[in-house]
Coordinates of all heavy atoms in Angstrom, one line a residue:
M604 N 0.8 -1.2 0.0 CA 0.0 0.0 0.0 C 0.9 1.2 0.0 O 0.6 2.2 -0.7 CB -0.9 0.0 1.2 CG -1.8 1.2 1.4 SD -3.0 1.2 0.1 CE -3.9 2.7 0.4
T605 N 1.9 1.2 0.8 CA 2.7 2.4 0.9 C 3.5 2.7 -0.4 O 3.7 3.8 -0.8 CB 3.7 2.3 2.1 OG1 3.0 1.9 3.3 CG2 4.3 3.6 2.4
A606 N 4.1 1.6 -0.9 CA 4.8 1.7 -2.2 C 3.9 2.2 -3.3 O 4.4 3.0 -4.1 CB 5.5 0.4 -2.5
T607 N 2.7 1.7 -3.4 CA 1.8 2.1 -4.4 C 1.4 3.6 -4.2 O 1.4 4.4 -5.2 CB 0.5 1.3 -4.4 OG1 0.8 -0.1 -4.5 CG2 -0.4 1.7 -5.5
A608 N 1.2 4.0 -3.0 CA 0.9 5.4 -2.7 C 2.1 6.3 -3.1 O 1.9 7.4 -3.6 CB 0.5 5.6 -1.3
N609 N 3.3 5.9 -2.7 CA 4.5 6.7 -3.0 C 4.6 6.8 -4.5 O 5.0 7.8 -5.1 CB 5.7 6.1 -2.4 CG 5.7 6.3 -0.9 OD1 5.1 7.2 -0.4 ND2 6.5 5.5 -0.2
F610 N 4.4 5.7 -5.2 CA 4.6 5.7 -6.7 C 3.5 6.6 -7.3 O 3.9 7.4 -8.2 CB 4.4 4.3 -7.3 CG 4.5 4.2 -8.8 CD1 5.7 4.4 -9.4 CD2 3.4 4.1 -9.5 CE1 5.8 4.3 -10.8 CE2 3.5 4.0 -10.9 CZ 4.7 4.2 -11.5
R611 N 2.3 6.6 -6.8 CA 1.3 7.4 -7.3 C 1.6 8.9 -7.1 O 1.4 9.8 -7.9 CB -0.1 7.1 -6.7 CG -1.2 7.8 -7.3 CD -2.6 7.4 -6.7 NE -2.8 6.0 -7.1 CZ -3.7 5.2 -6.6 NH1 -4.4 5.6 -5.5 NH2 -3.9 4.0 -7.0
Q612 N 2.1 9.2 -5.9 CA 2.5 10.6 -5.5 C 3.6 11.1 -6.4 O 3.6 12.2 -6.9 CB 2.8 10.6 -4.1 CG 3.0 12.0 -3.5 CD 3.2 12.1 -2.0 OE1 3.6 11.0 -1.4 NE2 3.1 13.2 -1.4
V613 N 4.6 10.2 -6.6 CA 5.8 10.6 -7.5 C 5.3 10.8 -8.9 O 5.7 11.8 -9.5 CB 6.9 9.5 -7.4 CG1 7.9 9.7 -8.5 CG2 7.5 9.5 -6.0
A614 N 4.4 9.9 -9.4 CA 3.9 10.1 -10.7 C 3.1 11.4 -10.8 O 3.1 12.1 -11.9 CB 3.0 8.9 -11.1
Q615 N 2.3 11.7 -9.8 CA 1.6 13.0 -9.8 C 2.5 14.2 -9.8 O 2.3 15.2 -10.6 CB 0.7 13.1 -8.5 CG -0.2 14.3 -8.5 CD -1.1 14.3 -7.3 OE1 -0.9 13.5 -6.4 NE2 -2.0 15.2 -7.2
Y616 N 3.6 14.2 -9.0 CA 4.5 15.3 -9.0 C 5.2 15.4 -10.4 O 5.4 16.5 -10.9 CB 5.6 15.1 -7.9 CG 5.1 15.4 -6.5 CD1 5.6 14.7 -5.4 CD2 4.1 16.3 -6.3 CE1 5.1 15.0 -4.2 CE2 3.6 16.6 -5.1 CZ 4.1 15.9 -4.0 OH 3.7 16.2 -2.7
I617 N 5.6 14.3 -11.0 CA 6.2 14.3 -12.3 C 5.2 14.9 -13.3 O 5.6 15.7 -14.2 CB 6.7 12.9 -12.7 CG1 7.9 12.5 -11.9 CG2 7.1 12.9 -14.2 CD1 8.3 11.0 -12.1
G618 N 3.9 14.5 -13.3 CA 2.9 15.0 -14.2 C 2.7 16.5 -14.0 O 2.6 17.2 -15.0
L619 N 2.7 16.9 -12.8 CA 2.6 18.4 -12.5 C 3.8 19.1 -13.0 O 3.7 20.3 -13.5 CB 2.4 18.6 -11.0 CG 1.0 18.3 -10.5 CD1 0.9 18.5 -9.0 CD2 -0.1 19.2 -11.1
A620 N 5.0 18.6 -12.8 CA 6.2 19.2 -13.3 C 6.2 19.3 -14.8 O 6.6 20.4 -15.4 CB 7.4 18.5 -12.8
I621 N 5.7 18.3 -15.5 CA 5.7 18.3 -17.0 C 4.6 19.3 -17.4 O 4.9 20.1 -18.4 CB 5.4 16.9 -17.5 CG1 6.6 16.0 -17.3 CG2 5.1 17.0 -19.0 CD1 6.4 14.5 -17.6
C622 N 3.5 19.4 -16.8 CA 2.5 20.3 -17.2 C 3.0 21.8 -16.9 O 2.7 22.6 -17.7 CB 1.2 20.1 -16.4 SG 0.3 18.7 -16.9
G623 N 3.6 22.0 -15.8 CA 4.2 23.3 -15.5 C 5.2 23.7 -16.6 O 5.3 24.9 -17.0
L624 N 6.0 22.7 -17.0 CA 7.0 23.0 -18.0 C 6.4 23.4 -19.4 O 6.8 24.3 -20.1 CB 8.0 21.8 -18.2 CG 9.0 21.9 -19.3 CD1 10.0 23.0 -18.9 CD2 9.8 20.6 -19.4
I625 N 5.3 22.6 -19.7 CA 4.6 22.9 -21.0 C 3.9 24.3 -20.9 O 4.0 25.1 -21.9 CB 3.5 21.8 -21.2 CG1 4.2 20.5 -21.6 CG2 2.6 22.2 -22.3 CD1 3.3 19.3 -21.6
V626 N 3.3 24.6 -19.8 CA 2.7 26.0 -19.6 C 3.7 27.1 -19.7 O 3.5 28.1 -20.4 CB 1.9 26.0 -18.3 CG1 1.4 27.5 -18.0 CG2 0.7 25.1 -18.4
R627 N 4.9 26.9 -19.0 CA 5.9 27.9 -19.1 C 6.5 28.1 -20.5 O 6.8 29.2 -20.9 CB 7.0 27.6 -18.1 CG 6.6 27.9 -16.6 CD 7.8 27.8 -15.7 NE 8.8 26.8 -16.1 CZ 9.8 26.4 -15.3 NH1 9.9 26.9 -14.1 NH2 10.6 25.5 -15.8
T628 N 6.7 27.0 -21.2 CA 7.2 27.0 -22.5 C 6.2 27.7 -23.4 O 6.6 28.6 -24.3 CB 7.4 25.6 -23.0 OG1 8.3 24.9 -22.2 CG2 8.0 25.6 -24.4
A629 N 4.9 27.4 -23.3 CA 3.9 28.1 -24.1 C 3.9 29.6 -23.8 O 3.8 30.4 -24.8 CB 2.5 27.5 -23.8
F630 N 3.9 30.0 -22.6 CA 4.0 31.4 -22.2 C 5.3 32.1 -22.8 O 5.2 33.2 -23.2 CB 3.9 31.7 -20.7 CG 2.4 31.6 -20.3 CD1 2.1 30.8 -19.2 CD2 1.5 32.4 -20.9 CE1 0.8 30.8 -18.7 CE2 0.2 32.3 -20.4 CZ -0.2 31.6 -19.3
G631 N 6.4 31.4 -22.7 CA 7.6 31.9 -23.3 C 7.5 32.1 -24.8 O 8.0 33.2 -25.3
I632 N 6.9 31.2 -25.5 CA 6.7 31.3 -26.9 C 5.8 32.5 -27.2 O 6.0 33.3 -28.1 CB 6.2 30.0 -27.6 CG1 7.3 28.9 -27.5 CG2 5.8 30.2 -29.0 CD1 6.9 27.6 -27.9
L633 N 4.7 32.6 -26.5 CA 3.8 33.7 -26.6 C 4.5 35.0 -26.4 O 4.2 36.0 -27.0 CB 2.6 33.5 -25.8 CG 1.6 32.5 -26.2 CD1 0.5 32.3 -25.2 CD2 1.0 32.8 -27.5
D634 N 5.3 35.1 -25.4 CA 6.1 36.3 -25.1 C 7.0 36.7 -26.2 O 7.1 37.9 -26.6 CB 6.9 36.1 -23.8 CG 7.6 37.4 -23.4 OD1 6.9 38.4 -23.4 OD2 8.8 37.3 -23.0
I635 N 7.7 35.7 -26.8 CA 8.5 36.0 -27.9 C 7.7 36.5 -29.1 O 8.1 37.5 -29.8 CB 9.3 34.8 -28.3 CG1 10.4 34.4 -27.2 CG2 10.0 34.9 -29.7 CD1 11.0 33.1 -27.4
L636 N 6.6 35.9 -29.4 CA 5.7 36.3 -30.5 C 5.2 37.7 -30.2 O 5.1 38.5 -31.2 CB 4.6 35.3 -30.7 CG 5.0 33.9 -31.3 CD1 3.8 33.0 -31.4 CD2 5.6 34.1 -32.7
W637 N 4.7 38.0 -29.0 CA 4.2 39.3 -28.7 C 5.3 40.3 -28.8 O 5.0 41.4 -29.3 CB 3.7 39.3 -27.2 CG 3.1 40.6 -26.8 CD1 3.7 41.5 -25.9 CD2 1.9 41.2 -27.2 NE1 2.9 42.6 -25.8 CE2 1.8 42.4 -26.6 CE3 0.9 40.7 -28.1 CZ2 0.7 43.2 -26.8 CZ3 -0.2 41.6 -28.3 CH2 -0.3 42.8 -27.7
G638 N 6.5 40.0 -28.5 CA 7.6 41.0 -28.7 C 7.8 41.3 -30.2 O 8.1 42.4 -30.6
I639 N 7.8 40.2 -31.0 CA 8.0 40.4 -32.4 C 6.8 41.3 -33.0 O 7.1 42.2 -33.8 CB 8.0 39.1 -33.2 CG1 9.3 38.3 -32.8 CG2 7.9 39.2 -34.7 CD1 9.4 36.9 -33.2
I640 N 5.6 41.0 -32.6 CA 4.5 41.8 -33.1 C 4.6 43.2 -32.7 O 4.3 44.1 -33.5 CB 3.1 41.1 -32.6 CG1 2.9 39.8 -33.3 CG2 1.9 42.0 -32.9 CD1 1.8 39.0 -32.7
T641 N 4.9 43.5 -31.4 CA 5.0 44.9 -31.0 C 6.1 45.6 -31.7 O 6.0 46.8 -32.0 CB 5.2 45.0 -29.4 OG1 6.3 44.2 -29.1 CG2 4.0 44.5 -28.7
E642 N 7.2 44.9 -32.0 CA 8.3 45.6 -32.7 C 7.9 45.9 -34.1 O 8.2 47.0 -34.6 CB 9.5 44.7 -32.8 CG 10.3 44.6 -31.5 CD 11.0 45.9 -31.1 OE1 11.4 46.6 -32.0 OE2 11.0 46.2 -29.9
I643 N 7.1 45.0 -34.7 CA 6.6 45.3 -36.1 C 5.7 46.5 -36.0 O 5.8 47.5 -36.9 CB 5.9 44.1 -36.7 CG1 6.9 43.0 -37.0 CG2 5.1 44.5 -37.9 CD1 6.3 41.7 -37.4
I644 N 4.8 46.6 -35.1 CA 3.8 47.7 -35.0 C 4.6 49.0 -34.7 O 4.3 50.0 -35.3 CB 2.8 47.4 -33.9 CG1 1.9 46.3 -34.3 CG2 2.0 48.6 -33.5 CD1 0.9 45.8 -33.3
N645 N 5.6 48.9 -33.8 CA 6.4 50.1 -33.5 C 7.1 50.6 -34.7 O 7.2 51.8 -35.0 CB 7.3 49.9 -32.3 CG 6.6 49.8 -31.0 OD1 5.5 50.3 -30.8 ND2 7.2 49.1 -30.1
G646 N 7.6 49.7 -35.5 CA 8.3 50.1 -36.7 C 7.4 50.7 -37.7 O 7.8 51.7 -38.4
V647 N 6.2 50.2 -37.9 CA 5.2 50.8 -38.8 C 4.9 52.2 -38.3 O 4.8 53.1 -39.2 CB 3.9 49.9 -38.9 CG1 2.8 50.7 -39.6 CG2 4.2 48.6 -39.6
F648 N 4.7 52.4 -37.0 CA 4.4 53.8 -36.6 C 5.6 54.7 -36.8 O 5.4 55.9 -37.1 CB 4.0 53.7 -35.1 CG 2.5 53.4 -34.8 CD1 2.2 52.3 -34.0 CD2 1.5 54.1 -35.5 CE1 0.9 52.0 -33.8 CE2 0.2 53.7 -35.3 CZ -0.1 52.7 -34.4
R649 N 6.8 54.2 -36.6 CA 8.0 55.0 -36.7 C 8.1 55.4 -38.2 O 8.4 56.6 -38.5 CB 9.2 54.2 -36.3 CG 10.5 55.0 -36.4 CD 11.6 54.3 -35.8 NE 11.4 54.1 -34.4 CZ 12.2 53.3 -33.6 NH1 13.2 52.7 -34.2 NH2 12.0 53.2 -32.3
V650 N 7.8 54.5 -39.1 CA 7.9 54.9 -40.5 C 6.8 55.9 -40.9 O 7.1 56.8 -41.6 CB 7.8 53.6 -41.4 CG1 7.6 53.9 -42.9 CG2 9.0 52.7 -41.3
A651 N 5.6 55.7 -40.4 CA 4.5 56.6 -40.7 C 4.8 58.0 -40.2 O 4.6 59.0 -40.9 CB 3.2 56.0 -40.1
I652 N 5.3 58.1 -39.0 CA 5.7 59.4 -38.4 C 6.8 60.0 -39.2 O 6.8 61.2 -39.5 CB 6.1 59.2 -36.9 CG1 4.8 58.9 -36.1 CG2 6.7 60.5 -36.4 CD1 5.1 58.5 -34.7
G653 N 7.8 59.2 -39.7 CA 8.9 59.7 -40.5 C 8.4 60.3 -41.8 O 8.8 61.3 -42.3
V654 N 7.4 59.6 -42.4 CA 6.8 60.0 -43.7 C 6.1 61.3 -43.5 O 6.2 62.3 -44.3 CB 5.9 58.9 -44.3 CG1 5.1 59.5 -45.5 CG2 6.8 57.8 -44.8
I655 N 5.3 61.4 -42.4 CA 4.5 62.6 -42.2 C 5.5 63.8 -41.9 O 5.3 64.9 -42.4 CB 3.6 62.4 -40.9 CG1 2.5 61.5 -41.3 CG2 3.0 63.7 -40.5 CD1 1.6 61.0 -40.2
V656 N 6.5 63.6 -41.2 CA 7.5 64.7 -40.9 C 8.2 65.1 -42.2 O 8.4 66.3 -42.4 CB 8.5 64.2 -39.8 CG1 9.7 65.2 -39.7 CG2 7.8 64.1 -38.5
A657 N 8.5 64.1 -43.0 CA 9.2 64.4 -44.3 C 8.3 65.3 -45.2 O 8.7 66.3 -45.8 CB 9.6 63.2 -45.0
I658 N 7.0 64.9 -45.2 CA 6.1 65.7 -46.1 C 5.9 67.1 -45.5 O 5.9 68.1 -46.3 CB 4.7 65.0 -46.1 CG1 4.8 63.7 -46.9 CG2 3.6 65.9 -46.7 CD1 3.6 62.8 -46.9
L659 N 5.7 67.2 -44.2 CA 5.6 68.6 -43.6 C 6.9 69.4 -43.8 O 6.8 70.6 -44.0 CB 5.3 68.4 -42.1 CG 3.9 67.9 -41.8 CD1 3.7 67.7 -40.3 CD2 2.8 68.8 -42.4
S660 N 8.0 68.8 -43.7 CA 9.3 69.5 -43.9 C 9.4 70.0 -45.3 O 9.9 71.1 -45.6 CB 10.5 68.6 -43.6 OG 10.5 68.2 -42.2
T661 N 9.0 69.1 -46.3 CA 9.0 69.5 -47.7 C 8.1 70.7 -47.9 O 8.5 71.7 -48.6 CB 8.6 68.4 -48.6 OG1 9.5 67.3 -48.3 CG2 8.8 68.7 -50.1
I662 N 6.9 70.6 -47.4 CA 5.9 71.7 -47.5 C 6.5 73.0 -46.9 O 6.4 74.1 -47.5 CB 4.6 71.4 -46.9 CG1 3.9 70.3 -47.7 CG2 3.7 72.6 -46.8 CD1 2.7 69.7 -47.0
A663 N 7.1 72.9 -45.7 CA 7.7 74.1 -45.1 C 8.8 74.6 -45.9 O 9.0 75.9 -46.0 CB 8.1 73.7 -43.7
F664 N 9.6 73.8 -46.4 CA 10.8 74.2 -47.2 C 10.3 75.0 -48.5 O 10.8 76.1 -48.7 CB 11.7 73.1 -47.7 CG 12.8 73.4 -48.6 CD1 13.9 74.1 -48.1 CD2 12.7 73.1 -49.9 CE1 14.9 74.5 -48.9 CE2 13.7 73.5 -50.8 CZ 14.8 74.2 -50.3
F665 N 9.4 74.5 -49.2 CA 8.9 75.2 -50.4 C 8.1 76.4 -50.0 O 8.1 77.4 -50.7 CB 8.1 74.2 -51.3 CG 8.9 73.3 -52.1 CD1 8.9 71.9 -51.8 CD2 9.8 73.7 -53.0 CE1 9.6 71.0 -52.5 CE2 10.6 72.9 -53.7 CZ 10.5 71.5 -53.5
G666 N 7.4 76.4 -48.9 CA 6.7 77.6 -48.4 C 7.7 78.7 -48.1 O 7.5 79.8 -48.4
F667 N 8.8 78.3 -47.5 CA 9.9 79.3 -47.2 C 10.5 79.8 -48.4 O 10.7 81.1 -48.5 CB 11.0 78.6 -46.3 CG 12.1 79.5 -45.9 CD1 11.9 80.5 -45.1 CD2 13.4 79.3 -46.5 CE1 12.9 81.4 -44.7 CE2 14.4 80.1 -46.1 CZ 14.2 81.2 -45.3
I668 N 10.7 79.0 -49.4 CA 11.2 79.5 -50.7 C 10.3 80.5 -51.4 O 10.6 81.5 -51.9 CB 11.6 78.3 -51.7 CG1 12.7 77.4 -51.1 CG2 11.9 78.8 -53.1 CD1 14.0 78.1 -50.9
L669 N 9.0 80.1 -51.4 CA 8.0 81.0 -51.9 C 7.9 82.3 -51.2 O 7.7 83.4 -51.7 CB 6.6 80.3 -51.9 CG 6.4 79.2 -53.0 CD1 5.1 78.5 -52.8 CD2 6.5 79.8 -54.4
W670 N 8.1 82.3 -49.9 CA 8.1 83.5 -49.0 C 9.3 84.4 -49.4 O 9.2 85.6 -49.5 CB 8.1 83.1 -47.6 CG 8.1 84.3 -46.7 CD1 7.2 85.2 -46.4 CD2 9.3 84.7 -45.9 NE1 7.6 86.1 -45.5 CE2 8.9 85.9 -45.2 CE3 10.6 84.3 -45.8 CZ2 9.8 86.6 -44.4 CZ3 11.5 84.9 -45.0 CH2 11.1 86.1 -44.3
L671 N 10.4 83.7 -49.6 CA 11.6 84.5 -50.0 C 11.4 85.2 -51.3 O 11.9 86.3 -51.6 CB 12.8 83.6 -50.1 CG 13.4 83.2 -48.8 CD1 14.6 82.2 -49.0 CD2 13.9 84.4 -48.0
F672 N 10.7 84.5 -52.3 CA 10.4 85.2 -53.6 C 9.5 86.4 -53.4 O 9.5 87.3 -54.3 CB 9.8 84.2 -54.5 CG 10.8 83.2 -55.1 CD1 10.4 81.9 -55.4 CD2 12.0 83.6 -55.5 CE1 11.3 81.0 -55.9 CE2 12.9 82.7 -56.0 CZ 12.6 81.4 -56.2
T673 N 8.7 86.5 -52.4 CA 7.8 87.6 -52.2 C 8.5 88.8 -51.6 O 7.9 89.9 -51.5 CB 6.6 87.2 -51.3 OG1 7.1 86.8 -50.1 CG2 5.8 86.1 -52.0
L674 N 9.7 88.6 -51.1 CA 10.4 89.8 -50.5 C 10.9 90.8 -51.5 O 11.2 90.5 -52.6 CB 11.6 89.3 -49.7 CG 11.2 88.5 -48.4 CD1 12.5 88.0 -47.7 CD2 10.4 89.3 -47.5

């Protein structure tokens, strides 16, 4: 009885350890994927802001040139 109970308890601990390892691995993979997705989104926003700033700078430059012609 005692050996069977000990074996069952050890098997339960091993099963819980394996389940914990699987869950931690899944969360680790999700963390890596989440990091990749956020980096892609941040890159898209950075490019969009850069394009907007470039357009506004071009408009300001040509506006300044036109203003100089009016002097």
Side-chain angles (χ1 to χ4, degrees):
M604 179 68 182
T605 313
T607 306
N609 286 340
F610 178 75
R611 185 175 295 163
Q612 190 175 13
V613 168
Q615 184 180 8
Y616 284 149
I617 290 173
L619 285 173
I621 291 173
C622 287
L624 179 65
I625 290 171
V626 169
R627 285 193 324 194
T628 304
F630 278 129
I632 291 171
L633 286 175
D634 184 44
I635 291 170
L636 290 176
W637 181 252
I639 291 171
I640 290 170
T641 54
E642 285 294 324
I643 290 171
I644 292 171
N645 287 336
V647 168
F648 279 127
R649 183 175 294 171
V650 169
I652 291 171
V654 168
I655 291 169
V656 168
I658 291 170
L659 292 176
S660 297
T661 305
I662 291 170
F664 175 74
F665 284 114
F667 179 69
I668 296 297
L669 288 175
W670 177 75
L671 285 177
F672 282 143
T673 61
L674 291 180

